[in-house]
Amino acid sequence: MKFVPWTDEKAVVSDLKVSPALLYRCDQAIKGLVCQPAWVLLLQAALELAGKRLFTAR
């Protein structure tokens, strides 16, 4: 795992392993804006961060 300082925003964005859309859906679920349980999306994000995908893209 590569750690970068918080001040280097460009490096943080380029090393992102979880899709921004999935993180946004996690945020929405936590806030109660979508019907999908937040724990499912958080599990999916954690697995994606670990290099495992829950679902395959078509």
Side-chain angles (χ1 to χ4, degrees), residues 14-49:
S14 67
D15 198 33
L16 190 64
K17 297 200 183 325
V18 181
S19 69
L22 179 57
L23 293 175
Y24 183 66
R25 286 192 357 240
C26 289
D27 182 57
Q28 288 178 321
I30 290 169
K31 292 176 181 174
L33 301 175
V34 294
C35 294
Q36 192 169 11
W39 70 269
V40 173
L41 294 170
L42 291 171
L43 175 63
Q44 187 175 349
L47 288 172
E48 194 171 306
L49 185 63

Side-chain angles (χ1 to χ4, degrees), residues 2 4 8-18:
K2 179 181 173 187
V4 294
D8 190 4
E9 294 179 23
K10 188 175 184 181
V12 171
V13 171
S14 67
D15 198 33
L16 190 64
K17 297 200 183 325
V18 181

